Amino acid sequence: MNFFNTNIINRRKIAQILLFSLFISPMVTAQAQEFLQRSPDADAWVKQELRKLSKRERIAQLMVIRLSERKGKEVVFYDKEVLQYLKKYNIGSVCLFQGNSPQQALVLNKLQAKAKNPLLVCIDGETGLGMRFGDVKPFPDQLTIGAVPDAVIAYKVGRAIAEQCKRAGIHVDYAPVVDINNNPLNPVINFRSLGEDKYKVAGFGVQIMKGMQDGGVMACAKHFPGHGDVAVDSHLDLPVINKSVPALDSLELYPFREMVKAGVGSMMVAHLYIPSIDATENQATSLSRKNVTGLLRNQLGYKGLTFTDALEMKGVAKFYPQGEAAVQSIIAGNDMLCLPGDVKGSIKKVRKAIRKDKLSWDDLNEKVERVLYAKFNLGANSFNPIDTVNIAADLNKDVSSLKREVYENAITLLKASDEALLSLSTSKRIAYVGIGISAENQFGRMLKEEYKTDCYYFDYAADAGRLETIQQSLQGKYDVIITGLHNYKKYPANNFGISATAIEFLRRLGENANTINFVFGNPYAIKNFNSAKNIIACYEDDALMQEAAVRFLKGKIAAKGKLPVTVSADLPYGSGMDSRKLKVVSPETVGLSSKMLGRIDSVALDAIAKGATPGAVVLVARKGKIAFERAYGTMNTDRKEAVSSETIYDLASVTKISATTLSVMKLYEEGKLDLNKTLGDYLSWTKGSDKANLKIRDILLHQAGLVSFIPFYRETLEKSGKPKAGAYSSTRDKVYSVRVADNMYMPAARIDSMYNKILSSKLGPANKYVYSDNDFIFLGKIVEQITGKDLDQYTRNAFYLPLGMYTTTFKPLEHFPLNQIAPTENEKYFRLQQLRGDVHDPGAAMFGGVAGHAGLFSNASDLAKLYTLLLNGGELNGIKLLKKETIDYFTGYHSEISRRGLGFDKPEKDNKDPKTAYPCWSASPQTYGHTGFTGIGVWADPKYDLLYIFLSNRVCPDGENNKLLSMSVRGKIHELIYQSLLNKNQ
C-alpha cells in the first residue's frame, strides 16, 4: 500500500513537471532578443526599407566594412572608399578601428548623412573605445575583471562602455569575450578572457553584456564555439581543436549557452577547425553550417544576430578567397560578414550561389530583416549627428574612476610569509627594485614619498654584472625590499619578453622572507618565480594600478582578488588571501581545545553519511579570531562538487537578524525608527487595515498577531499544478521583470497583490507568540521606506562592504559564479527545478529575491565578521557601525511569553535539561542568534566571546529532509564548542 501511494505521488510530480514544461518551453525557444523585437512601428519601417533595397543591396546589408587602420605610425581612414561602397552597394555596416574620437565622429556623420539606409556602426572594443581610439583611455583587460570578487563591477564596466558607445554613435560592440582561457600559451585570447573557470567566465560575461544592453548597445559574445584552448593565432593561421563534442559541451560551450539564455544580442563566430563539429578539411567554424546553423541556431536555440570573425584573417583567407569566404559564411547561417575584403566579388558569388540553389532569397531576406530590426531597435533608423564638442572628455569621464575600482578589487594577495610585513611602517628601511624599467615610475615615486624608499632599476637589457651590483647594495641594508615586475608583454611568447637575468634576480630576491613582490601584468608570468615568499598580483601596469598597490601597502584597501587562471600547481585558479578575513589562530591561542573541537568532524561526517545534509561548513571564533573552520562533504548528493570554506549558502531566516534586524538597530540608534510606533506610522499603505496599528516592538517579537506565512505561489497555479495563463514567462521583459527562478519571471504588478494578501490576512490575538515571516516582510519595507533604498542596497552599503563581507548579499547570481553557491531544493511543487543561486523561500523569490525574512546569502568567514562586530560592541578593525548599548538592548530578553529578543532568537529561559536544551545546554542566557530553514545556525555568546556558525543545505535535494533537526546536528556541535573551553572563567 505504501509503495502504491508513493508511485501515485511520483506520477503527480511528473505530471506537474510535464504540464509546466508544456507551458514554458515554447517561450524558451523564442529567446528574448530586445534588439530584434517586432512592433507595429518596427514592422512598418523594416517593410519600407526592405522594399527599397535592390537584390545586390540586400546582400550588401550583411557586410561590415573597415573604416580605418594603422599603417606604421599613421592612421589611415577609408571614408572615401566606404562612401563609394555606400553609393554603389548600400552596405549595411561599418566597423571602427584606429583614429581619435573627433575624427571618427566627423567621418561617421559624413557617411550616415550619405547613406540611403542608415549604417549599423560597430566597434571591436573589449576594453571600451580606448581599445581603438587614440584619445580615449581603455578600461581594464577582461582578465583583470576576472580577478575581482563581485560581478557587479563587471556590470558597471559594461554599462560604462555602453555610455561611451552611445556618445560616439556606435550601436554594436564586439564584446565581451567569453572564451575560457584553458591554455596558458594561448597567443590570441589569454588576457582578453575572464579566466579559466567556465562559471566565472559565464557569470561575469553575462553581467558585462547586461550592462551594455541595459545601456542600449548591442553586446556580442565571442568567439563561438570557444577560442580559449588554442596555441595558434587565427589572424595568422587556422587553429585546430581536437576535442569531442561532449568535451566542448561541458566546458567551452557553457558560457555561450548562458549568454543565449540571458538574451545576448549578437554572437561572433570564430575561425577554428574542430573536426568533431565539422570534419570538412580546413573549413573554419565560421564557414561551417554544422556549427552556425546546426549547433548555434538549432541546438542552442540562438535567435539573435551572428557576425563572422574578420574574414580577412588568415585562418579563413588562407583557404578561401575573399568572395568565397563570404558566400560560405552566409550558407553556414551567419547574418553579418565582418571585413569581407572584396565587396564586389562577394556580392557576385552570393548571387551565383543563389542561382545554383546553395542559398535562397528567402534565407537571405530573413537575414536582412534581422539586421533591419536590429537597426530600428538600436535607434539607427533616425540619425542624429554626433556632437564633436568635448567628445574626448565625455568618453574619458568615467574611465579612471572605474579603472580604480576594478584595480582595487582585483589586487590579489597570493602569498604572505608574515601579514605584518604587508603593513609597512614608515620607520622601516625600505628599498624598491623596479625590474623591467630603467627610470622612476609612479610606483617608485609614491614609495619614495610615503616611505623615503631607496630605488634601484633593472631593465631587461641589464646583465649579470648589474644584478650583482644591485644585490650587493641591498645586502644587509634594508628591513624590507619591494620588487615591482613591470613593462613586460601581455602575451606568453618568449616568456613575455622577460629576460632570463631578470627572472634569476626575482628568484634570488623572492627567497628572502622580507621581500614583497608586486607583479604588474599578466599573472601567468608569476610561474617564473612562484617560490617567492610574498607575491601580490596586480594584473596591469599603469599609474592607477601602481597607486592601488601603494594604497594596499598602506592598509587603505584590502586584497580582495582571486587568481582567474592557474599559474602553477601551488597557485591554482581561485588562489588569493582575504586580507580582511578574521585572523586564523590555533584553538589554544584563544582558550579552546583542539582535541575537543576535532570531535566536530565526527558529528558533521556522521550527518553527511546518514543523509542529513550533503555538506556543511563549521566555523568557531573566539575573542575575534577564527579557531576552527572546516568544510565537509559536497554541494549535492551526486558528490561531484566539494564544499569549501568559500562556499556561499542560502541563509534563509538568518536574513531576519543579519539584514533586517541589523538595519532596524541602526535606524533605531539614529533616532529614525521608534519601536513604540506602528506600521501605519511608517507604511501609509497599511492604513485602513487592521495591520496599521501593530507596534514595531511586537512585530520584532513575533507577537503582533500576524499569520506565520502565506503561500503566495498557490494563487499562480491551477489545481493541476500548471501555472495559470500569463502567470510567468521564461524570459525577462518590461512586464515580466521579477526573477523567481531560472527561466521563470513574474510580472512586477503581482507584488502589490502579495502585499494586499498580507494586509487582508486574518489577524490573530496580540500577546501570543507566532513565529512569522510576515513580521519581517513588513520590517524590511519599513527599512526601505525610511532609508529610501532597497533593503539589499542599504545593507550592502551600510554594513557588508565596510566590513569586507564581500560574499554576503541578496541575489548572489548577480555577484558570483554559480559553482561558488550551494544548491538547495530540487523543487517539485512550484518552480519545478533544482534551485541554485535563487532564494529557496518561495515568498522571498516572488518578491524578487529580496525580502525582510529571507534572501540573504553568505559564506561562513564573511558572516563571522558581522557577528564579531556585534560581540565587539559594534566595532571591527577600526570601523564603528553600532553602539554597544544598542546591541545589548536588542539581544536581551524582551518577552514574557517567549524566549525572543528584539529580532534575535535566544536560549530557552529554562534550559536545564541537556536533552531538550535550545540551542544547546551550555549556551549562556546572553547568547543570541538564529537558525535557518535551509540548514543554517548562527549563535554568538558575549559571556564567553564565542561565535558558532553552521552552514548547510540540508534541503538539497529533497526539501522534506528533517534529519538535521531530528539528529540535533547543530546542537551537538554547539555543545562540543562549549566543552572545548579550557577555562570558562577566561
Side-chain angles (χ1 to χ4, degrees):
M1 188 68 180
N2 288 337
F3 176 79
F4 178 73
N5 287 338
T6 300
N7 274 275
I8 290 175
I9 293 169
N10 288 339
R11 286 201 297 272
R12 284 173 180 167
K13 288 180 178 178
I14 292 168
Q16 286 182 338
I17 294 169
L18 290 173
L19 283 166
F20 192 80
S21 65
L22 286 171
F23 165 79
I24 207 164
S25 60
M27 305 183 75
V28 171
T29 57
Q31 288 296 328
Q33 300 297 337
E34 59 182 303
F35 298 121
L36 301 181
Q37 286 180 356
R38 293 174 181 258
S39 65
D41 288 344
D43 291 342
W45 186 83
V46 169
K47 186 176 180 180
Q48 168 190 296
E49 294 301 312
L50 193 61
R51 191 185 303 118
K52 293 192 304 188
L53 295 170
S54 68
K55 289 184 175 179
R56 133 177 123 170
E57 288 176 330
R58 293 184 185 197
I59 298 169
Q61 279 292 299
L62 308 181
M63 294 185 177
V64 186
I65 307 301
R66 177 186 287 275
L67 192 55
S68 66
E69 68 178 327
R70 182 175 297 281
K71 289 192 173 182
K73 294 184 178 180
E74 298 297 320
V75 172
V76 178
F77 274 82
Y78 299 118
D79 46 316
K80 292 180 181 177
E81 292 84 348
V82 173
L83 193 55
Q84 289 301 312
Y85 288 138
L86 273 175
K87 290 178 179 177
K88 192 170 183 178
Y89 302 113
N90 199 2
I91 58 164
S93 178
V94 292
C95 187
L96 308 186
F97 286 93
Q98 285 75 21
N100 62 41
S101 51
Q103 283 176 297
Q104 302 277 13
L106 290 170
V107 171
L108 277 182
N109 284 343
K110 180 172 67 175
L111 294 176
Q112 291 283 31
K114 296 288 185 180
K116 289 182 277 185
N117 178 279
L119 287 162
L120 187 70
V121 181
C122 307
I123 190 168
D124 191 12
E126 298 154 18
T127 57
L129 273 57
M131 184 172 171
R132 301 297 175 187
F133 290 12
D135 56 347
V136 180
K137 299 172 187 173
F139 288 105
D141 294 328
Q142 284 197 185
L143 193 63
T144 308
I145 296 170
V148 306
D150 192 338
V152 164
I153 294 174
Y155 178 90
K156 289 181 181 180
V157 173
R159 192 60 185 259
I161 289 173
E163 290 177 11
Q164 284 186 332
C165 289
K166 295 287 279 188
R167 176 66 178 88
I170 298 165
H171 308 110
V172 181
D173 186 3
Y174 298 151
V177 172
V178 290
D179 302 311
I180 298 165
N181 200 73
N182 47 344
N183 186 339
L185 299 179
N186 193 309
V188 64
I189 301 302
N190 210 286
F191 65 89
R192 298 165 63 198
S193 167
L194 287 157
E196 71 178 44
D197 180 76
K198 68 178 183 180
Y199 296 104
K200 190 156 196 179
V201 169
F204 277 51
V206 164
Q207 290 304 318
I208 293 173
M209 176 274 288
K210 284 184 175 179
M212 291 170 64
Q213 296 194 170
D214 285 352
V217 171
M218 182 184 283
C220 182
K222 63 185 187 185
H223 305 81
F224 183 85
H227 210 308
D229 194 7
V230 302
V232 173
D233 186 345
S234 52
H235 293 85
L236 307 176
D237 207 338
L238 182 60
V240 179
I241 297 179
N242 286 308
K243 286 189 173 183
S244 67
V245 171
L248 292 167
D249 187 62
S250 68
L251 186 63
E252 278 85 355
L253 290 176
Y254 180 81
F256 293 98
R257 192 181 299 114
E258 293 301 302
M259 295 293 279
V260 171
K261 285 168 58 177
V264 67
S266 65
M267 289 261 195
M268 179 172 282
V269 185
H271 302 322
L272 303 167
Y273 179 48
I274 308 178
S276 63
I277 294 176
D278 192 337
T280 305
E281 190 174 1
N282 294 324
Q283 185 172 79
T285 44
S286 53
L287 277 59
S288 167
R289 186 167 180 81
K290 290 181 180 178
N291 181 63
V292 181
T293 299
L295 181 56
L296 180 57
R297 293 292 193 196
N298 296 341
Q299 291 186 40
L300 269 64
Y302 186 58
K303 306 295 181 184
L305 280 182
T306 58
F307 291 82
T308 68
D309 207 341
L311 294 176
E312 65 186 17
M313 292 163 62
K314 296 298 183 184
V316 167
K318 180 177 177 180
F319 304 103
Y320 290 84
Q322 286 295 331
E324 191 60 38
V327 70
Q328 190 59 42
S329 297
I330 292 178
I331 291 172
N334 289 295
D335 297 315
M336 301 294 285
L337 308 175
C338 195
L339 312 187
D342 183 3
V343 174
K344 180 179 179 181
S346 297
I347 292 173
K348 289 176 79 171
K349 290 197 175 184
V350 170
R351 297 190 72 175
K352 183 178 180 180
I354 293 172
R355 290 195 299 271
K356 290 190 173 185
D357 293 328
K358 294 181 179 179
L359 272 173
S360 72
W361 280 111
D362 286 343
D363 289 339
L364 194 127
N365 286 335
E366 181 183 336
K367 297 175 188 301
V368 176
E369 280 192 2
R370 244 195 312 265
V371 173
L372 292 175
Y373 274 106
K375 288 184 178 182
F376 181 87
N377 285 299
L378 286 162
N381 59 308
S382 57
F383 169 63
N384 294 310
I386 304 161
D387 184 2
T388 59
V389 176
N390 294 323
I391 185 169
D394 292 344
L395 295 175
N396 280 299
K397 67 180 177 67
D398 295 324
V399 178
S400 292
S401 61
L402 193 47
K403 281 181 84 167
R404 190 174 285 109
E405 183 175 3
V406 172
Y407 289 168
E408 292 188 353
N409 280 274
I411 285 180
T412 306
L413 177 58
L414 294 174
K415 290 188 176 183
S417 60
D418 181 1
E419 291 182 26
L421 182 69
L422 300 175
S423 301
L424 282 188
S425 166
T426 54
S427 63
K428 290 184 177 180
R429 297 171 300 165
I430 301 170
Y432 164 58
V433 181
I435 295 178
I437 56 177
S438 56
E440 186 176 77
N441 61 5
Q442 180 70 357
F443 192 46
R445 188 177 304 113
M446 291 185 71
L447 289 173
K448 280 171 59 176
E449 291 174 357
E450 296 290 338
Y451 300 105
K452 305 295 187 287
T453 303
D454 292 335
C455 297
Y456 303 85
Y457 304 106
F458 187 92
D459 65 26
Y460 299 132
D463 58 16
R466 175 66 176 159
L467 184 158
E468 297 298 337
T469 299
I470 296 178
Q471 192 158 11
Q472 287 177 16
S473 299
L474 297 172
Q475 196 71 34
K477 187 177 177 182
Y478 298 100
D479 301 312
V480 177
I481 298 170
I482 297 171
T483 72
L485 183 61
H486 298 279
N487 201 32
Y488 62 91
K489 295 176 182 177
K490 291 189 173 186
Y491 284 114
N494 300 315
N495 208 358
F496 302 94
I498 305 171
S499 69
T501 311
I503 291 171
E504 174 61 22
F505 198 7
L506 279 166
R507 285 176 178 166
R508 287 191 194 180
L509 292 173
E511 291 173 357
N512 299 320
N514 69 334
T515 298
I516 307 173
N517 300 277
F518 285 86
V519 184
F520 293 94
N522 192 320
Y524 280 121
I526 296 170
K527 67 181 181 180
N528 291 294
F529 54 96
N530 62 298
S531 60
K533 300 292 193 299
N534 303 286
I535 305 175
I536 298 98
C538 294
Y539 301 98
E540 299 193 34
D541 193 15
D542 63 13
L544 289 175
M545 181 56 96
Q546 292 165 23
E547 288 171 11
V550 175
R551 284 175 56 77
F552 167 72
L553 277 175
K554 292 176 66 180
K556 299 291 185 182
I557 60 172
K560 313 179 190 74
K562 300 291 182 181
L563 203 58
V565 291
T566 294
V567 166
S568 61
D570 63 335
L571 290 176
Y573 165 84
S575 296
M577 302 163 63
D578 177 5
S579 63
R580 292 283 291 276
K581 184 174 181 175
L582 297 178
K583 189 173 182 180
V584 180
V585 297
S586 67
E588 282 71 19
T589 305
V590 290
L592 298 173
S593 165
S594 298
K595 184 177 179 180
M596 186 61 71
L597 289 177
R599 294 173 61 182
I600 292 172
D601 293 352
S602 62
V603 179
L605 293 173
D606 181 61
I608 292 167
K610 292 177 179 175
T613 179
V617 175
V618 177
L619 183 148
V620 180
R622 193 173 188 223
K623 300 180 180 180
K625 298 178 178 65
I626 296 173
F628 184 96
E629 184 181 20
R630 289 185 190 168
Y632 304 92
T634 54
M635 298 272 200
N636 206 331
T637 51
D638 60 14
R639 300 187 178 181
K640 291 181 179 179
E641 299 174 88
V643 173
S644 79
S645 59
E646 298 294 317
T647 300
I648 296 168
Y649 283 89
D650 182 336
L651 300 183
S653 286
V654 171
T655 302
K656 293 181 172 73
I657 59 169
S658 303
T660 311
T661 300
L662 191 69
S663 302
V664 168
M665 292 165 70
K666 186 71 171 172
L667 297 174
Y668 163 83
E669 186 176 283
E670 293 172 345
K672 297 175 182 177
L673 178 61
D674 187 336
L675 303 186
N676 294 313
K677 286 192 174 182
T678 65
L679 279 182
D681 290 324
Y682 295 102
L683 301 176
S684 60
W685 47 271
T686 65
K687 292 181 178 178
S689 75
D690 59 359
K691 312 299 184 296
N693 291 324
L694 300 182
K695 283 190 177 182
I696 306 304
R697 182 183 300 276
D698 290 336
I699 292 172
L700 280 164
L701 292 169
H702 294 280
Q703 54 191 50
L706 290 165
V707 296
S708 181
F709 78 102
I710 299 171
F712 302 109
Y713 69 91
R714 289 181 185 169
E715 290 193 347
T716 70
L717 306 178
E718 304 283 5
K719 289 183 179 179
S720 64
K722 175 183 176 180
K724 293 178 180 178
Y728 303 101
S729 168
S730 66
T731 52
R732 183 178 182 176
D733 58 28
K734 292 178 182 177
V735 175
Y736 292 88
S737 59
V738 178
R739 180 183 170 108
V740 177
D742 193 23
N743 291 328
M744 190 174 182
Y745 295 87
M746 184 187 80
R750 179 171 291 280
I751 291 178
D752 286 340
S753 70
M754 291 161 63
Y755 287 123
N756 288 331
K757 189 77 175 174
I758 302 174
L759 288 178
S760 62
S761 63
K762 185 177 180 180
L763 191 64
N767 294 319
K768 179 181 179 182
Y769 174 70
V770 177
Y771 179 77
S772 173
D773 288 342
N774 294 309
D775 287 321
F776 277 76
I777 291 173
F778 275 131
L779 289 171
K781 294 307 294 181
I782 288 173
V783 172
E784 293 182 342
Q785 179 65 36
I786 293 173
T787 64
K789 298 177 182 177
D790 292 341
L791 182 64
D792 58 332
Q793 292 302 312
Y794 176 71
T795 52
R796 183 172 173 78
N797 292 310
F799 302 103
Y800 310 146
L801 291 183
L803 294 176
M805 298 169 62
Y806 307 116
T807 65
T808 310
T809 184
F810 293 84
K811 299 187 287 188
L813 289 174
E814 294 183 2
H815 301 269
F816 305 106
L818 188 69
N819 63 335
Q820 200 173 337
I821 307 167
T824 53
E825 186 175 359
N826 188 4
E827 195 185 77
K828 303 294 195 302
Y829 58 89
F830 168 34
R831 288 166 282 185
L832 305 179
Q833 60 182 272
Q834 172 68 70
L835 300 174
R836 188 169 191 177
D838 289 296
V839 60
H840 176 263
D841 183 272
M846 293 179 72
F847 282 115
V850 181
H853 70 294
L856 195 64
F857 288 69
S858 183
N859 70 15
S861 60
D862 277 350
L863 198 60
K865 297 172 187 176
L866 176 61
Y867 288 91
T868 300
L869 173 116
L870 297 182
L871 286 169
N872 287 350
E875 185 173 349
L876 184 66
N877 295 328
I879 298 170
K880 183 77 173 177
L881 296 181
L882 289 167
K883 295 177 182 177
K884 186 178 185 302
E885 310 90 84
T886 304
I887 298 167
D888 292 345
Y889 181 63
F890 273 77
T891 59
Y893 287 109
H894 280 274
S895 175
E896 297 297 326
I897 59 173
S898 81
R899 65 174 186 255
R900 306 294 298 199
L902 291 171
F904 292 92
D905 199 0
K906 291 184 63 61
E908 293 289 358
K909 294 175 181 176
D910 184 7
N911 226 5
K912 295 180 180 179
D913 186 350
K915 295 180 180 179
T916 60
Y918 178 84
C920 74
W921 183 56
S922 296
S924 81
Q926 297 175 42
T927 300
Y928 55 88
H930 217 286
T931 57
F933 184 81
T934 51
I936 310 297
V938 179
W939 294 100
D941 190 340
K943 180 177 179 180
Y944 302 109
D945 200 357
L946 189 64
L947 173 62
Y948 162 48
I949 293 175
F950 181 92
L951 302 184
S952 80
N953 54 338
R954 64 100 190 166
V955 293
C956 178
D958 182 3
E960 299 303 314
N961 181 7
N962 290 315
K963 290 182 180 179
L964 196 77
L965 186 63
S966 63
M967 293 171 64
S968 301
V969 175
R970 288 173 286 193
K972 286 178 181 177
I973 292 175
H974 202 178
E975 185 61 34
L976 281 174
I977 295 167
Y978 279 102
Q979 298 307 314
S980 76
L981 285 164
L982 296 174
N983 186 341
K984 291 188 177 182
N985 295 320
Q986 291 183 354

